Amino acid sequence: MNTLCENGYKKVSLSVDKTNYAVSMYRRFGFETIVEREHDYLMVKHLNRK
């Protein structure tokens, strides 16, 4: 994610199936659910520029 920050990105998003074990991993890395759909979550992480 450092490359994203270095290139001026302020946030990154992803979509993940609700049953995917990676959901908890994404949350540990700071992703937040911004939209809960029937089968998946739309998640975003705000990036801090150094």
Side-chain angles (χ1 to χ4, degrees), residues 3-24:
T3 302
L4 294 172
C5 290
E6 291 166 3
N7 286 294
Y9 291 92
K10 296 181 181 180
K11 58 187 171 183
V12 62
S13 65
L14 58 84
S15 175
V16 62
D17 191 278
K18 287 181 174 182
T19 62
N20 189 324
Y21 67 92
V23 169
S24 60

